[in-house]
Amino acid sequence: MIKIESLHKTYGDNEVLKGISLEIKAGEIVAVIGPSGTGKSTFLRCLNYLERPDSGTLLIGDVRVDFENISKDEVYSLRKKTSMVFQNYNLFKNKTALENVMEALRVVKKMPKDEAEKVSLEALKQVGLLDKANSYPSRLSGGQQQRIGIARAMVLKPEIILFDEPTSALDPEWVGEVLDVIKGIASRHLTMIIVTHEMSFAREIADKIVFLDGGKIIQYGTPEEVFEKSNNDRVNQFIKKLH
Ligand SMILES: Nc1ncnc2c1ncn2[C@@H]1O[C@H](COP(=O)(O)OP(=O)(O)OP(=O)(O)O)[C@@H](O)[C@H]1O
Ligand SMILES: [Mg+2]
């Protein structure tokens, strides 16, 4: 289980997260939606400490951290429990697909080379890219690069995978294959938070929807509750604008 309590983050005098609390059960898929600039990326980045929250607590598996008082060891533990899939893939350009996936296992998990290679090849197979194991990112389509990003996140066997708009940098022709890979992972009961503008995807895949606006969770519920039965004007306006 993951429990986020009262997460706050301010940049200068811009209070971006004004107390976010959320509980996520093991195996649950949470989609985060909301207007641009509302703090969705900041929220995800705070969860694995790519950004330093001002305050709040996070319980993730057997690790509990208080962000006002976090030690280096706790940051390290947190990083092992979470992994992130970025909008722009963030692959190493000078490494092959296989080396990109292996890197985290070697560095974070200190896994021996042979074992890391075996696990990484299996992950590449799962995202349908075994035949591209020795290709460099520049020789791969956006969709293929993002599938490597997903394989890299999966091999660490994190408690939760955080996706920040995994398809928004892709040409439309590659969106479907990446969404299909994420759906494939979803069916294996991994816990995920996905920030996305793909509403039909969110609706199809998510157990819960979080609507973030003005640094707060304005609405939280099942896709049906948020997309069809919301009484909140902000939520309804946002959804209407997308049609
Ligand atoms: N490193 C930073 N330094 C200062 N301000 C930042 C930084 N990162 C984000 N912000 C500000 O925090 C606010 C929230 O940004 P964030 O990127 O989290 O929004 P978002 O909901 O992900 O938006 P989008 O849908 O466009 O991706 C914005 O006002 C942004 O300008
Ligand atoms: Mg963002």
PDB file of all heavy atoms in Angstrom, residues 126-148:
ATOM      1  N   GLN A 126       8.974  -8.657 -23.216  1.00  0.00           N
ATOM      2  CA  GLN A 126       7.615  -8.299 -22.777  1.00  0.00           C
ATOM      3  C   GLN A 126       7.084  -7.039 -23.468  1.00  0.00           C
ATOM      4  O   GLN A 126       5.885  -6.886 -23.642  1.00  0.00           O
ATOM      5  CB  GLN A 126       7.585  -8.096 -21.262  1.00  0.00           C
ATOM      6  CG  GLN A 126       7.493  -9.422 -20.517  1.00  0.00           C
ATOM      7  CD  GLN A 126       7.789  -9.275 -19.045  1.00  0.00           C
ATOM      8  OE1 GLN A 126       7.825  -8.170 -18.506  1.00  0.00           O
ATOM      9  NE2 GLN A 126       8.015 -10.392 -18.381  1.00  0.00           N
ATOM     10  N   VAL A 127       7.979  -6.121 -23.820  1.00  0.00           N
ATOM     11  CA  VAL A 127       7.507  -4.926 -24.534  1.00  0.00           C
ATOM     12  C   VAL A 127       7.651  -5.087 -26.055  1.00  0.00           C
ATOM     13  O   VAL A 127       7.508  -4.125 -26.808  1.00  0.00           O
ATOM     14  CB  VAL A 127       8.220  -3.626 -24.049  1.00  0.00           C
ATOM     15  CG1 VAL A 127       7.960  -3.394 -22.572  1.00  0.00           C
ATOM     16  CG2 VAL A 127       9.723  -3.676 -24.331  1.00  0.00           C
ATOM     17  N   GLY A 128       7.957  -6.323 -26.484  1.00  0.00           N
ATOM     18  CA  GLY A 128       7.982  -6.631 -27.911  1.00  0.00           C
ATOM     19  C   GLY A 128       9.198  -6.100 -28.661  1.00  0.00           C
ATOM     20  O   GLY A 128       9.120  -5.807 -29.853  1.00  0.00           O
ATOM     21  N   LEU A 129      10.331  -5.967 -27.971  1.00  0.00           N
ATOM     22  CA  LEU A 129      11.506  -5.371 -28.618  1.00  0.00           C
ATOM     23  C   LEU A 129      12.771  -6.216 -28.513  1.00  0.00           C
ATOM     24  O   LEU A 129      13.880  -5.675 -28.573  1.00  0.00           O
ATOM     25  CB  LEU A 129      11.776  -3.985 -28.018  1.00  0.00           C
ATOM     26  CG  LEU A 129      10.815  -2.878 -28.449  1.00  0.00           C
ATOM     27  CD1 LEU A 129      11.144  -1.587 -27.718  1.00  0.00           C
ATOM     28  CD2 LEU A 129      10.875  -2.648 -29.951  1.00  0.00           C
ATOM     29  N   LEU A 130      12.585  -7.504 -28.360  1.00  0.00           N
ATOM     30  CA  LEU A 130      13.755  -8.375 -28.230  1.00  0.00           C
ATOM     31  C   LEU A 130      14.683  -8.223 -29.439  1.00  0.00           C
ATOM     32  O   LEU A 130      15.904  -8.199 -29.301  1.00  0.00           O
ATOM     33  CB  LEU A 130      13.275  -9.825 -28.095  1.00  0.00           C
ATOM     34  CG  LEU A 130      14.284 -10.827 -27.569  1.00  0.00           C
ATOM     35  CD1 LEU A 130      14.924 -10.358 -26.274  1.00  0.00           C
ATOM     36  CD2 LEU A 130      13.609 -12.189 -27.367  1.00  0.00           C
ATOM     37  N   ASP A 131      14.088  -8.067 -30.615  1.00  0.00           N
ATOM     38  CA  ASP A 131      14.908  -7.955 -31.831  1.00  0.00           C
ATOM     39  C   ASP A 131      15.663  -6.625 -31.923  1.00  0.00           C
ATOM     40  O   ASP A 131      16.504  -6.452 -32.795  1.00  0.00           O
ATOM     41  CB  ASP A 131      14.031  -8.163 -33.077  1.00  0.00           C
ATOM     42  CG  ASP A 131      12.900  -7.166 -33.157  1.00  0.00           C
ATOM     43  OD1 ASP A 131      12.430  -6.707 -32.092  1.00  0.00           O
ATOM     44  OD2 ASP A 131      12.488  -6.821 -34.280  1.00  0.00           O
ATOM     45  N   LYS A 132      15.357  -5.683 -31.024  1.00  0.00           N
ATOM     46  CA  LYS A 132      16.044  -4.383 -31.054  1.00  0.00           C
ATOM     47  C   LYS A 132      17.042  -4.239 -29.903  1.00  0.00           C
ATOM     48  O   LYS A 132      17.533  -3.133 -29.627  1.00  0.00           O
ATOM     49  CB  LYS A 132      15.019  -3.239 -30.960  1.00  0.00           C
ATOM     50  CG  LYS A 132      13.994  -3.231 -32.066  1.00  0.00           C
ATOM     51  CD  LYS A 132      14.609  -2.818 -33.393  1.00  0.00           C
ATOM     52  CE  LYS A 132      13.542  -2.732 -34.477  1.00  0.00           C
ATOM     53  NZ  LYS A 132      14.131  -2.627 -35.813  1.00  0.00           N
ATOM     54  N   ALA A 133      17.330  -5.342 -29.235  1.00  0.00           N
ATOM     55  CA  ALA A 133      18.179  -5.282 -28.030  1.00  0.00           C
ATOM     56  C   ALA A 133      19.491  -4.545 -28.271  1.00  0.00           C
ATOM     57  O   ALA A 133      19.956  -3.799 -27.409  1.00  0.00           O
ATOM     58  CB  ALA A 133      18.459  -6.696 -27.516  1.00  0.00           C
ATOM     59  N   ASN A 134      20.071  -4.716 -29.464  1.00  0.00           N
ATOM     60  CA  ASN A 134      21.381  -4.111 -29.711  1.00  0.00           C
ATOM     61  C   ASN A 134      21.320  -2.813 -30.506  1.00  0.00           C
ATOM     62  O   ASN A 134      22.339  -2.309 -30.974  1.00  0.00           O
ATOM     63  CB  ASN A 134      22.296  -5.126 -30.399  1.00  0.00           C
ATOM     64  CG  ASN A 134      22.551  -6.322 -29.483  1.00  0.00           C
ATOM     65  OD1 ASN A 134      22.837  -6.136 -28.295  1.00  0.00           O
ATOM     66  ND2 ASN A 134      22.385  -7.525 -29.996  1.00  0.00           N
ATOM     67  N   SER A 135      20.106  -2.258 -30.647  1.00  0.00           N
ATOM     68  CA  SER A 135      19.965  -0.996 -31.379  1.00  0.00           C
ATOM     69  C   SER A 135      20.145   0.186 -30.442  1.00  0.00           C
ATOM     70  O   SER A 135      19.783   0.128 -29.265  1.00  0.00           O
ATOM     71  CB  SER A 135      18.567  -0.897 -31.998  1.00  0.00           C
ATOM     72  OG  SER A 135      18.350  -1.956 -32.883  1.00  0.00           O
ATOM     73  N   TYR A 136      20.669   1.275 -30.995  1.00  0.00           N
ATOM     74  CA  TYR A 136      20.780   2.523 -30.243  1.00  0.00           C
ATOM     75  C   TYR A 136      19.483   3.326 -30.398  1.00  0.00           C
ATOM     76  O   TYR A 136      18.796   3.190 -31.419  1.00  0.00           O
ATOM     77  CB  TYR A 136      21.985   3.326 -30.746  1.00  0.00           C
ATOM     78  CG  TYR A 136      23.290   2.703 -30.303  1.00  0.00           C
ATOM     79  CD1 TYR A 136      23.922   1.739 -31.079  1.00  0.00           C
ATOM     80  CD2 TYR A 136      23.844   3.044 -29.069  1.00  0.00           C
ATOM     81  CE1 TYR A 136      25.100   1.137 -30.654  1.00  0.00           C
ATOM     82  CE2 TYR A 136      25.032   2.440 -28.643  1.00  0.00           C
ATOM     83  CZ  TYR A 136      25.648   1.495 -29.430  1.00  0.00           C
ATOM     84  OH  TYR A 136      26.801   0.899 -28.996  1.00  0.00           O
ATOM     85  N   PRO A 137      19.147   4.159 -29.396  1.00  0.00           N
ATOM     86  CA  PRO A 137      17.889   4.910 -29.441  1.00  0.00           C
ATOM     87  C   PRO A 137      17.670   5.686 -30.738  1.00  0.00           C
ATOM     88  O   PRO A 137      16.544   5.738 -31.243  1.00  0.00           O
ATOM     89  CB  PRO A 137      18.009   5.865 -28.247  1.00  0.00           C
ATOM     90  CG  PRO A 137      18.861   5.120 -27.279  1.00  0.00           C
ATOM     91  CD  PRO A 137      19.844   4.365 -28.113  1.00  0.00           C
ATOM     92  N   SER A 138      18.754   6.231 -31.324  1.00  0.00           N
ATOM     93  CA  SER A 138      18.575   7.037 -32.540  1.00  0.00           C
ATOM     94  C   SER A 138      18.044   6.212 -33.708  1.00  0.00           C
ATOM     95  O   SER A 138      17.541   6.761 -34.687  1.00  0.00           O
ATOM     96  CB  SER A 138      19.906   7.678 -32.937  1.00  0.00           C
ATOM     97  OG  SER A 138      20.866   6.661 -33.165  1.00  0.00           O
ATOM     98  N   ARG A 139      18.155   4.893 -33.609  1.00  0.00           N
ATOM     99  CA  ARG A 139      17.662   4.027 -34.685  1.00  0.00           C
ATOM    100  C   ARG A 139      16.252   3.503 -34.403  1.00  0.00           C
ATOM    101  O   ARG A 139      15.749   2.655 -35.121  1.00  0.00           O
ATOM    102  CB  ARG A 139      18.599   2.822 -34.872  1.00  0.00           C
ATOM    103  CG  ARG A 139      19.968   3.187 -35.378  1.00  0.00           C
ATOM    104  CD  ARG A 139      19.830   3.805 -36.770  1.00  0.00           C
ATOM    105  NE  ARG A 139      21.102   4.292 -37.288  1.00  0.00           N
ATOM    106  CZ  ARG A 139      21.924   3.572 -38.045  1.00  0.00           C
ATOM    107  NH1 ARG A 139      21.614   2.336 -38.345  1.00  0.00           N
ATOM    108  NH2 ARG A 139      23.042   4.087 -38.476  1.00  0.00           N
ATOM    109  N   LEU A 140      15.643   4.019 -33.334  1.00  0.00           N
ATOM    110  CA  LEU A 140      14.328   3.505 -32.947  1.00  0.00           C
ATOM    111  C   LEU A 140      13.272   4.596 -33.037  1.00  0.00           C
ATOM    112  O   LEU A 140      13.569   5.782 -32.873  1.00  0.00           O
ATOM    113  CB  LEU A 140      14.386   2.971 -31.508  1.00  0.00           C
ATOM    114  CG  LEU A 140      15.378   1.819 -31.285  1.00  0.00           C
ATOM    115  CD1 LEU A 140      15.531   1.521 -29.805  1.00  0.00           C
ATOM    116  CD2 LEU A 140      14.922   0.575 -32.038  1.00  0.00           C
ATOM    117  N   SER A 141      12.036   4.191 -33.280  1.00  0.00           N
ATOM    118  CA  SER A 141      10.932   5.162 -33.319  1.00  0.00           C
ATOM    119  C   SER A 141      10.651   5.647 -31.905  1.00  0.00           C
ATOM    120  O   SER A 141      11.081   5.029 -30.920  1.00  0.00           O
ATOM    121  CB  SER A 141       9.678   4.491 -33.884  1.00  0.00           C
ATOM    122  OG  SER A 141       9.140   3.593 -32.922  1.00  0.00           O
ATOM    123  N   GLY A 142       9.899   6.747 -31.805  1.00  0.00           N
ATOM    124  CA  GLY A 142       9.505   7.266 -30.494  1.00  0.00           C
ATOM    125  C   GLY A 142       8.784   6.212 -29.668  1.00  0.00           C
ATOM    126  O   GLY A 142       9.044   6.040 -28.477  1.00  0.00           O
ATOM    127  N   GLY A 143       7.903   5.484 -30.327  1.00  0.00           N
ATOM    128  CA  GLY A 143       7.139   4.453 -29.620  1.00  0.00           C
ATOM    129  C   GLY A 143       8.043   3.347 -29.095  1.00  0.00           C
ATOM    130  O   GLY A 143       7.877   2.861 -27.977  1.00  0.00           O
ATOM    131  N   GLN A 144       9.027   2.981 -29.905  1.00  0.00           N
ATOM    132  CA  GLN A 144       9.976   1.931 -29.467  1.00  0.00           C
ATOM    133  C   GLN A 144      10.835   2.448 -28.317  1.00  0.00           C
ATOM    134  O   GLN A 144      11.080   1.729 -27.348  1.00  0.00           O
ATOM    135  CB  GLN A 144      10.849   1.496 -30.651  1.00  0.00           C
ATOM    136  CG  GLN A 144      10.069   0.685 -31.675  1.00  0.00           C
ATOM    137  CD  GLN A 144      10.843   0.459 -32.957  1.00  0.00           C
ATOM    138  OE1 GLN A 144      11.700   1.254 -33.336  1.00  0.00           O
ATOM    139  NE2 GLN A 144      10.517  -0.617 -33.662  1.00  0.00           N
ATOM    140  N   GLN A 145      11.262   3.711 -28.410  1.00  0.00           N
ATOM    141  CA  GLN A 145      12.081   4.274 -27.321  1.00  0.00           C
ATOM    142  C   GLN A 145      11.287   4.296 -26.019  1.00  0.00           C
ATOM    143  O   GLN A 145      11.807   3.976 -24.953  1.00  0.00           O
ATOM    144  CB  GLN A 145      12.542   5.685 -27.681  1.00  0.00           C
ATOM    145  CG  GLN A 145      13.569   5.702 -28.788  1.00  0.00           C
ATOM    146  CD  GLN A 145      14.082   7.102 -29.076  1.00  0.00           C
ATOM    147  OE1 GLN A 145      14.606   7.771 -28.207  1.00  0.00           O
ATOM    148  NE2 GLN A 145      13.906   7.550 -30.307  1.00  0.00           N
ATOM    149  N   GLN A 146      10.010   4.659 -26.122  1.00  0.00           N
ATOM    150  CA  GLN A 146       9.222   4.706 -24.892  1.00  0.00           C
ATOM    151  C   GLN A 146       8.996   3.305 -24.337  1.00  0.00           C
ATOM    152  O   GLN A 146       8.964   3.115 -23.118  1.00  0.00           O
ATOM    153  CB  GLN A 146       7.884   5.434 -25.137  1.00  0.00           C
ATOM    154  CG  GLN A 146       7.086   5.705 -23.875  1.00  0.00           C
ATOM    155  CD  GLN A 146       7.870   6.517 -22.846  1.00  0.00           C
ATOM    156  OE1 GLN A 146       8.897   6.069 -22.333  1.00  0.00           O
ATOM    157  NE2 GLN A 146       7.403   7.712 -22.540  1.00  0.00           N
ATOM    158  N   ARG A 147       8.885   2.312 -25.222  1.00  0.00           N
ATOM    159  CA  ARG A 147       8.719   0.930 -24.726  1.00  0.00           C
ATOM    160  C   ARG A 147       9.980   0.471 -23.993  1.00  0.00           C
ATOM    161  O   ARG A 147       9.899  -0.294 -23.033  1.00  0.00           O
ATOM    162  CB  ARG A 147       8.357  -0.004 -25.874  1.00  0.00           C
ATOM    163  CG  ARG A 147       6.858   0.100 -26.224  1.00  0.00           C
ATOM    164  CD  ARG A 147       6.583  -0.129 -27.687  1.00  0.00           C
ATOM    165  NE  ARG A 147       6.871  -1.478 -28.105  1.00  0.00           N
ATOM    166  CZ  ARG A 147       6.956  -1.863 -29.388  1.00  0.00           C
ATOM    167  NH1 ARG A 147       6.790  -0.989 -30.351  1.00  0.00           N
ATOM    168  NH2 ARG A 147       7.208  -3.114 -29.681  1.00  0.00           N
ATOM    169  N   ILE A 148      11.137   0.965 -24.429  1.00  0.00           N
ATOM    170  CA  ILE A 148      12.376   0.669 -23.693  1.00  0.00           C
ATOM    171  C   ILE A 148      12.333   1.363 -22.331  1.00  0.00           C
ATOM    172  O   ILE A 148      12.703   0.787 -21.304  1.00  0.00           O
ATOM    173  CB  ILE A 148      13.614   1.122 -24.501  1.00  0.00           C
ATOM    174  CG1 ILE A 148      13.742   0.240 -25.731  1.00  0.00           C
ATOM    175  CG2 ILE A 148      14.879   1.024 -23.659  1.00  0.00           C
ATOM    176  CD1 ILE A 148      14.684   0.783 -26.756  1.00  0.00           C
TER     177      ILE A 148
END
